[in-house]
Amino acid sequence: MSKKRQQLIDTALQLFYQRGINSIGINEILTVSGIAKKTLYNHFTSKEELVLAALKQRNDNFIAWLDMSLKEANTDIEVVNKLFNGLSAWFSNSAVELGSFRGCFFINTSAEFSDPSSKISQYCRDHKQQVRQLIAQHLSPSNSELLDTICVLKEGAITMAYVNHDLSMPAKCIKILEKLL
Amino acid sequence: MSKKRQQLIDTALQLFYQRGINSIGINEILTVSGIAKKTLYNHFTSKEELVLAALKQRNDNFIAWLDMSLKEANTDIEVVNKLFNGLSAWFSNSAVELGSFRGCFFINTSAEFSDPSSKISQYCRDHKQQVRQLIAQHLSPSNSELLDTICVLKEGAITMAYVNHDLSMPAKCIKILEKLL
DNA sequence: TTATTGGTAGACAGATCGGTATTCTTTCTG
DNA sequence: CAGAAAGAATACCGATCTGTCTACCAATAA
């Protein structure tokens, strides 16, 4: 649609993800993108709307990356390998589409917004649900136990990569899941 | 030591944990606690110092709660049960010492501070290390694989309880670990 | 008593916040 | 070419941020 609008979203996503939403003011997004304030408020009625657009952009990017990562993974063990090898690549900044790793944008954003009924918190929940669905599509159906296990290990691996600086969890998660299969 | 100082820390921890550090200003802490601004800057040189004191307070509370939760857990399976039943109680606000659940204060705080070399981010890492050590003390020694598994499941369960509003993970983690033992 | 300490209350400074309005220029379209 | 729309640049508004400072009060110690 509008080129300026997309530039704003791209700049906002980059800054919000790297430094946190409450730490980034509208003015910084404007100076970095080189776009006027009037133009921003022409496309978005408030900062919150821009935040939601950035979340949606990140969701689109992430789902596309995950879909590509899981492509042609048909057996459960293949899904596990491709998923956690993908996470490992993300953590070590080898997944260019996802940018420099600073944890999960949706976990981080949830942490900043305390009202769980806000649109922003709800969108973060939606994203996690979409990721879960995508993983489920590649797994043997009706194995919801395995799906739960994969999801909880995934969240743990992301959190430990960011907070603890422990990048070794994806490999360990694969070993855990091998034992369980 | 000083009574006012402790009141400030308690109020700050309550507000920071429930609403996030960047969302709470000094003035709100002062009006809620009923303490004068001069007194605050008598005890702390900056907001950052107060944040660090609040993190330390939360760490003390959490370690004490975890220590009590794991007391008399000597076999691995007992540790697993007590740990994840404890988490479940925390998530459903049955652990009074930990206050109303809003995720892990240290994960949330890490999400707000993007510089991983800041004192605040480092303290969050330290906390996770202390928790890991405490769990390790109750497990059979030199079983670092099990320790890793417990830790990654724990982080995943906390994240999913907060972001996804899924409180069922502790019970599922116990089942997973039963299979692995 | 007098001096000191630790507290309250609140004005103030300087910066930044999200958001609005104005003026001027560019660019696109009929 | 003419007119409309979009954008740039920037001043501005009221609110809020962290942190400093002054003035006053109460209790305590020398």
Side-chain angles (χ1 to χ4, degrees), chain A residues 76 139-150 181, chain B residues 179:
Chain A
D76 291 348
L139 288 178
S140 24
S142 79
N143 192 343
S144 70
E145 259 189 45
L146 176 61
L147 181 58
D148 280 331
T149 305
I150 288 173
L181 285 175
Chain B
K179 284 191 199 167

Side-chain angles (χ1 to χ4, degrees), chain B residues 15-159:
Chain B
L15 291 173
F16 285 154
Y17 177 50
Q18 289 305 322
R19 313 234 313 266
I21 289 167
N22 286 329
S23 299
I24 296 295
I26 289 293
N27 292 312
E28 187 162 0
I29 296 171
L30 296 176
T31 57
V32 169
S33 66
I35 290 177
K37 194 175 273 198
K38 184 87 186 293
T39 307
L40 188 153
Y41 283 100
N42 228 1
H43 289 292
F44 305 94
T45 67
S46 65
K47 184 185 181 184
E48 187 193 25
E49 222 176 63
L50 178 59
V51 170
L52 285 167
L55 286 169
K56 174 163 174 15
Q57 178 73 61
R58 179 66 175 186
N59 181 62
D60 291 350
N61 296 349
F62 192 88
I63 293 285
W65 167 81
L66 184 59
D67 198 42
M68 188 202 67
S69 298
L70 294 182
K71 152 183 82 183
E72 289 160 15
N74 297 312
T75 70
D76 290 348
I77 188 66
E78 268 178 17
V79 173
V80 165
N81 272 293
K82 295 199 183 223
L83 172 62
F84 286 94
N85 285 328
L87 291 183
S88 182
W90 177 26
F91 300 164
S92 59
N93 296 324
S94 304
V96 187
E97 311 94 309
L98 299 182
S100 178
F101 179 71
R102 202 186 78 89
C104 169
F105 187 36
F106 302 91
I107 296 175
N108 294 350
T109 299
S110 282
E112 291 198 74
F113 292 83
S114 52
D115 177 5
S117 66
S118 69
K119 281 185 193 170
I120 289 173
S121 295
Q122 281 179 327
Y123 194 90
C124 294
R125 264 197 304 287
D126 281 358
H127 161 81
K128 292 295 181 189
Q129 193 56 33
Q130 285 185 47
V131 170
R132 184 187 175 89
Q133 286 286 354
L134 186 52
I135 295 171
Q137 281 174 26
H138 290 81
L139 287 179
S140 26
S142 78
N143 192 344
S144 69
E145 260 190 44
L146 176 60
L147 180 58
D148 279 332
T149 305
I150 289 174
C151 284
V152 70
L153 287 172
K154 166 181 68 80
E155 300 301 344
I158 295 172
T159 297

